[in-house]
């Protein structure tokens, strides 16, 4: 639900329908290091000295196997599972499990991968028990407990996990409350706590000014409710980093929306002026504090998820805009604030049966819609999201039909989604709500319930399980399925696909949206340093870009990219050869159509390229230039070229951005081929191979021999008709 950033932002925990999280506390440190050139290691040491680990600048690694988080204490019961999970201010994780009788909290300290022994709360089994990650870096457990002196009423109780502690404090008694109803907690970064709750239509509030201070006596924030409107259909609370509090609720019968605020140091709540949320049916407003100050408010209006915001220090709200058609605050994740200032939200249930997500551009203020999504399954429910390492968002959800439901996860960055990964066991009959939070390094940790059928055909909880990502190393050249193996790009009228496989078969993976006819799309290495291979694109008009993708994902035209040049139309060949300058970073090569000169655009290591340098002259007579990889085993990437006589030549790389004189590989070769791709190991022997498509729609493999040459060809990918596909 919430995460470490809720501690930074002081956002209140909303009802269980609003699952989600925002950026980890150290994300700004890592983002600043990336933009200023400060070393990640130095940033990490400084952050660790301050008590917070630096978030990894690389994308989350591949998912590890699932492990048991908590066993079911009653193996024939369907109760006792996962209720909640949050990140504390220092990156520690806290989970809440239990049933209607009691609850247990478990803590995974920052920097550890192990969970401590559970702490049990025998009277916390009632309505709306929740964990709240707050602005002072602490985590609160809030629940309603029966009063010993009055069995018809309850106490609102709060236990505190201070920053860095390994156990919750003894509970505090906040106020007498009814058994059911809304309650919320929020806090400023300096530790001032605000609690609100409702009693028969009257909203009450209490505050706690410091760790040793007592809770104030409850104050009524409204008089008696309007006639016929004693029930509140929704209520939400947030406190901004300057201490401003915003409280919103909606009356169930009249549909009217009420918004109150309390300025820092004020003694009373006042009505928010010109609050733009209309009193429409099921508006269900939700409020969130923004990391730069101010508030974001979402609400429903005629099957649109609407958004308005008020910046820090401002008095006016922005004009409400539709964030997502058919989106809804019902089931919406909490907004995730990305390092570039963009705002991410997602959801599934609501007016639409399919999943949705939306991103608000920080530069334009416009909500963007993308053609890709995290799942194509019609039954997607229980969505959660959190900001994770490398400027990514990790989204988890449950999908499937009754009796066959799975916990799924995918990673988003810059308009690109990774392939969805199933985390739960295939033998489970169904899974519960999958919750995700980020640890101190920004790695996603997912926890969920799994159920199974007993011998009597009853549903029983088999246990609470967890999974997290493993460490990410340097990406394998041309790996776009995140399996550590080189892949092949294929494009047809339906779009861009990845073909992964071995020397006997090639299978198509996910597809990205189509590109304009005449667009050149090439695999490229990691430009932005997140550990994922990116994609080079040259449009028909000549504009050159590198699209920064997420591991296991493909870009479309709306995805985040770096502009390389406004016009590369003067180059009649562009080659993505990997590293040819010896610095370990992927480069680009181009050939001038007028002079035949070959140029290298070296990767500058800061998300762009250096000015071009001359790699060689006299390359104008070759029909095709082919990035070859390391053909002779000397650790330097080579170049292949086919001349006008259809002879294949090899140019051994020097590792300095130039090439040695040519050597003949094949005579009279390639006359029937429309595409030839080198530099990938399809045979799995560690040597660079060649794969070619002929004009009749057949794919052929020439295995590299490791000495600069190739074996005779053999047919591959027989299950695919390649006649309408171009490969790269």
């Amino acid at each position: 639900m919430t995460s470490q950033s809720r501690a930074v932002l002081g956002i209140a925990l909303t009802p269980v329908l609003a699952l989600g999280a925002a950026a980890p506390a150290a994300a700004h440190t890592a983002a600043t290091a990336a933009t200023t050139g400060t070393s990640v290691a130095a940033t990490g040491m400084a952050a660790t000295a301050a008590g917070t680990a630096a978030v990894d600048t690389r994308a989350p690694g591949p998912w590890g196997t699932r492990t048991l988080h908590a066993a079911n204490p009653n193996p024939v019961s369907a109760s006792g599972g996962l209720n909640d999970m949050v990140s504390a201010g220092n990156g520690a994780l806290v989970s809440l499990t239990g049933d209607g009788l009691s609850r247990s909290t478990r803590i995974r300290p920052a920097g550890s991968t192990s969970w401590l022994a559970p702490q049990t709360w025998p009277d916390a089994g009632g309505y709306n028990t929740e964990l709240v990650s707050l602005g002072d870096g602490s985590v609160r457990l809030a629940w309603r407990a029966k009063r010993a002196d009055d069995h018809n009423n309850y106490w609102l109780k709060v236990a505190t996990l201070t920053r860095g502690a390994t156990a919750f404090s003894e509970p505090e008694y906040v106020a007498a409350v009814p058994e059911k109803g809304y309650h919320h907690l929020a806090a400023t970064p300096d530790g001032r706590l605000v609690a609100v709750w409702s009693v028969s239509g009257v909203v009450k509030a209490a505050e706690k000014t410091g760790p040793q201070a007592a809770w104030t006596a409850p104050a009524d924030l409204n008089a008696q409710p309007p006639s016929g409107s004693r029930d509140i259909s929704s209520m939400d609370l947030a406190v901004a980093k300057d201490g401003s509090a915003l409280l919103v609720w909606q009356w169930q019968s009249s549909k009217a929306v009420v918004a109150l605020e309390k300025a820092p140091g004020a003694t009373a709540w006042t009505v928010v002026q010109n609050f733009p949320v209309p009193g429409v049916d099921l508006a269900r407003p939700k409020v969130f504090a923004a990391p730069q100050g101010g508030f974001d408010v979402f609400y429903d209006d005629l099957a649109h998820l609407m958004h308005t915001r008020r910046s820090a220090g401002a008095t006016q709200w922005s004009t409400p805009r539709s964030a997502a058609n058919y989106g809804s605050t019902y089931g919406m994740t909490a907004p995730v604030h990305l390092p570039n200032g963009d705002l991410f939200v997602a959801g599934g249930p609501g007016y639409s049966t399919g999943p949705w997500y939306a991103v608000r551009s920080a530069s334009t203020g416009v909500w963007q819609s993308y053609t890709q999504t995290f799942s194509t399954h019609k039954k997607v429910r229980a969505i959660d999201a959190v900001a994770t390492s490398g400027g990514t968002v990790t989204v988890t959800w449950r999908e499937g039909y009754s009796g066959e439901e799975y916990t799924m996860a995918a990673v988003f960055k810059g308009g690109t989604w990774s392939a969805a990964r199933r985390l739960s066991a295939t033998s489970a009959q169904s899974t519960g709500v999958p919750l995700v939070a980020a640890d101190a390094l920004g790695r996603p940790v997912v926890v969920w319930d799994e159920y199974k059928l007993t011998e009597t055909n009853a549903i029983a909880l088999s246990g609470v399980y967890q999974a997290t990502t493993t460490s990410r190393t340097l990406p394998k050249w041309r790996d776009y399925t995140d399996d550590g193996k080189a892949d092949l790009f294929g494009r047809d009228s339906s779009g861009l696909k990845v073909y992964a496989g071995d020397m006997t078969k090639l299978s198509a993976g996910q597809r990205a949206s189509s590109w304009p006819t005449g667009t050149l799309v090439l695999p490229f290495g990691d430009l932005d340093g997140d550990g994922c291979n990116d994609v080079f694109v040259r449009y028909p008009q000549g504009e050159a870009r590198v699209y920064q993708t997420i591991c296991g994902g493909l870009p479309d035209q709306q995805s985040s990219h770096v502009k390389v040049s406004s016009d590369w139309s003067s180059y009649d060949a562009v080659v993505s050869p990997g590293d040819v300058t010896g610095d370990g970073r992927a480069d680009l090569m181009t050939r001038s159509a007028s002079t035949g000169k070959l140029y290298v655009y070296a990767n500058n290591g800061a998300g762009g390229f250096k000015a071009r340098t001359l790699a060689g002259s006299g390359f104008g007579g070759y029909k095709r230039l082919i990035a070859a990889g390391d053909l002779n085993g000397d650790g330097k990437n080579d170049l292949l070229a086919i001349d006008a006589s259809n002879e294949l030549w090899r140019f051994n790389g020097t590792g300095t951005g130039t090439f040695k004189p040519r050597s003949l590989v094949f005579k009279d070769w390639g006359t029937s081929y429309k595409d030839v791709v080198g530099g990938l190991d399809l045979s799995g022997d560690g040597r660079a191979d060649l794969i070619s498509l002929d004009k009749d729609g057949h794919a052929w493999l020439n295995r590299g021999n490791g000495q600069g040459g190739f074996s005779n060809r053999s047919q591959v990918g027989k299950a695919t008709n390649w006649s309408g596909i171009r490969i790269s």
Side-chain angles (χ1 to χ4, degrees):
M1 286 190 184
T2 56
S3 82
Q4 189 173 332
S5 66
R6 284 194 176 237
V8 176
L9 306 180
I11 297 173
L13 182 69
T14 55
V16 293
L17 298 177
L19 307 176
H28 178 72
T29 302
T32 302
T35 56
T36 61
T38 306
S39 74
V40 174
T43 306
M45 287 186 290
T48 302
T52 302
V55 173
D56 197 336
T57 58
R58 294 167 296 180
W63 289 96
T65 57
R66 93 194 212 289
T67 58
L68 187 66
H69 172 67
N72 180 17
N74 186 355
V76 298
S77 170
S79 61
L82 178 67
N83 306 141
D84 205 350
M85 183 172 68
V86 300
S87 293
N90 65 342
L93 303 183
V94 186
S95 71
L96 178 68
T97 57
D99 53 24
L101 299 177
S102 67
R103 308 289 169 108
S104 295
T105 51
R106 294 172 66 97
I107 300 168
R108 194 176 95 161
S112 174
T113 58
S114 300
W115 296 80
L116 303 179
Q119 192 172 358
T120 302
W121 309 92
D123 62 352
Y127 176 79
N128 208 18
T129 301
E130 58 191 12
L131 291 170
V132 190
S133 186
L134 294 174
D136 59 354
S138 67
V139 173
R140 258 60 172 202
L141 174 67
W143 72 97
R144 284 171 160 87
K146 278 190 176 182
R147 294 178 58 174
D149 59 341
D150 183 357
H151 290 291
N152 294 320
N153 286 289
Y154 289 70
W155 285 111
L156 175 58
K157 298 172 70 173
V158 174
T160 302
L161 178 71
T162 58
R163 186 185 181 104
T166 56
F168 280 84
S169 68
E170 291 296 318
E172 303 173 77
Y173 293 79
V174 180
V177 295
E179 178 185 3
K180 295 184 178 181
Y182 289 96
H183 67 248
H184 294 289
L185 292 175
T188 58
D190 63 4
R192 179 172 63 91
L193 285 176
V194 179
V196 296
W197 64 95
S198 61
V199 180
S200 299
V202 176
V203 178
K204 297 177 178 289
E207 295 190 19
K208 181 180 172 70
T209 58
Q212 306 305 319
W215 286 92
T216 62
D220 293 350
L221 301 190
N222 63 312
Q224 290 298 319
S227 177
S229 296
R230 299 183 66 85
D231 293 330
I232 293 175
S233 62
S234 65
M235 184 169 70
D236 207 5
L237 169 72
V239 175
K241 66 179 183 179
D242 67 351
S244 302
L246 177 63
L247 172 64
V248 178
W249 73 84
Q250 183 176 24
W251 296 112
Q252 187 172 37
S253 299
S254 68
K255 313 303 179 186
V257 173
V258 179
L260 302 179
E261 61 183 333
K262 188 176 183 183
T267 58
W269 294 75
T270 59
V271 175
V272 177
Q273 299 299 314
N274 302 316
F275 192 60
V277 178
V280 297
D281 188 33
L282 298 178
R284 295 182 289 214
K286 295 191 180 298
V287 300
F288 303 92
Q292 71 274 20
F295 298 98
D296 289 286
V297 175
F298 294 85
Y299 64 94
D300 290 5
D301 189 4
L302 299 177
H304 287 267
L305 176 69
M306 304 297 294
H307 169 260
T308 179
R309 72 183 319 272
R310 190 178 72 185
S311 302
T315 58
Q316 298 296 317
W317 293 85
S318 67
T319 301
R321 290 185 175 183
S322 175
N325 291 339
Y326 305 106
S328 172
T329 60
Y330 180 83
M332 183 190 86
T333 65
V336 176
H337 294 268
L338 300 174
N340 63 355
D342 290 354
L343 196 63
F344 174 98
V345 293
Y351 299 104
S352 173
T353 58
W356 59 268
Y357 79 101
V359 179
R360 180 183 182 272
S361 169
S363 59
T364 66
V366 175
W367 286 92
Q368 304 170 4
S369 59
Y370 295 93
T371 57
Q372 301 186 55
T373 187
F374 51 89
S375 175
T376 58
H377 202 287
K378 292 182 178 180
K379 292 294 184 181
V380 171
R381 293 175 293 277
I383 297 172
D384 201 3
V386 67
T388 42
S389 58
T392 64
V393 180
T394 297
V395 176
T396 58
W397 68 95
R398 186 180 72 215
E399 73 177 28
Y401 299 93
S402 179
E404 190 176 351
E405 296 177 311
Y406 302 104
T407 289
M408 308 292 293
V411 180
F412 171 85
K413 181 181 180 181
T416 302
W417 286 95
S418 72
R421 167 72 185 270
R422 180 187 296 175
L423 302 182
S424 57
T426 57
S427 59
Q429 293 294 318
S430 63
T431 62
V433 176
L435 301 180
V436 60
D439 67 10
L441 295 178
R443 295 171 297 197
V445 179
V446 184
V447 181
W448 70 94
D449 297 333
E450 287 188 12
Y451 298 90
K452 63 181 180 180
L453 287 175
T454 66
E455 295 180 356
T456 59
N457 288 328
I459 293 292
L461 178 69
S462 59
V464 181
Y465 290 86
Q466 63 181 356
T468 189
T469 55
T470 57
S471 60
R472 181 168 294 286
T473 57
L474 292 176
K476 174 75 174 181
W477 176 242
R478 298 184 65 105
D479 177 18
Y480 287 87
T481 54
D482 208 19
D483 62 355
K485 301 177 182 178
D487 303 314
L488 184 72
F489 277 5
R491 291 181 57 221
D492 58 16
S493 58
S494 64
L496 176 66
K497 301 178 182 179
V498 167
Y499 290 83
D502 55 27
M503 63 179 297
T504 59
K505 64 179 181 179
L506 290 167
S507 57
Q510 62 176 316
R511 183 184 71 229
S513 62
S514 59
W515 300 79
T517 301
T519 303
L520 175 66
V521 181
L522 297 175
F524 185 77
D526 180 13
L527 183 65
D528 57 355
D530 66 348
C532 302
N533 285 321
D534 302 317
V535 177
F536 172 83
V537 173
R538 185 179 67 173
Y539 283 90
Q541 294 77 17
E543 182 174 334
R545 301 175 176 178
V546 172
Y547 283 82
Q548 299 161 316
T549 66
I550 187 65
C551 297
L554 291 176
D556 60 23
Q557 295 183 68
Q558 296 172 298
S559 299
S560 174
H561 60 271
V562 171
K563 186 176 180 179
V564 179
S565 174
S566 298
D567 189 4
W568 266 13
S569 57
S570 63
Y571 296 133
D572 62 356
V574 181
V575 182
S576 179
D579 173 29
V580 294
T581 58
D583 59 4
R585 297 188 290 262
D587 307 310
L588 285 171
M589 290 197 308
T590 60
R591 181 179 64 185
S592 171
S594 60
T595 67
K597 291 182 178 180
L598 191 66
Y599 296 98
V600 171
Y601 285 82
N603 191 323
N604 65 12
F609 295 89
K610 300 177 183 178
R612 71 180 190 181
T613 59
L614 185 65
S617 301
F619 283 86
Y622 294 100
K623 297 192 301 182
R624 179 178 287 135
L625 301 179
I626 305 165
D630 179 14
L631 295 176
N632 57 6
D634 64 355
K636 302 175 179 65
N637 284 331
D638 307 318
L639 181 68
L640 293 171
I642 303 176
D643 65 17
S645 301
N646 294 311
E647 293 179 325
L648 181 66
W649 298 90
R650 183 185 73 250
F651 295 83
N652 289 338
T654 63
T656 62
T658 60
F659 296 89
K660 297 178 181 179
R662 69 182 188 178
S663 301
L664 183 64
V665 179
F666 287 127
K667 284 187 175 183
D668 192 22
W669 186 87
T671 57
S672 65
Y673 296 150
K674 64 179 183 180
D675 288 320
V676 181
V677 174
L680 69 168
D681 176 21
L682 279 182
S683 57
D685 60 2
R687 298 167 180 168
D689 303 323
L690 278 179
I691 187 166
S692 309
L693 294 188
D694 66 23
K695 299 172 184 177
D696 296 324
H698 302 126
W700 301 94
L701 174 71
N702 290 91
R703 297 181 60 173
N705 61 17
Q707 300 175 354
F710 301 92
S711 64
N712 293 329
R713 73 179 190 177
S714 59
Q715 190 174 351
V716 293
K718 297 180 181 180
T720 300
N721 180 2
W722 298 91
S723 56
I725 300 173
R726 303 303 301 266
I727 64 172
S728 58

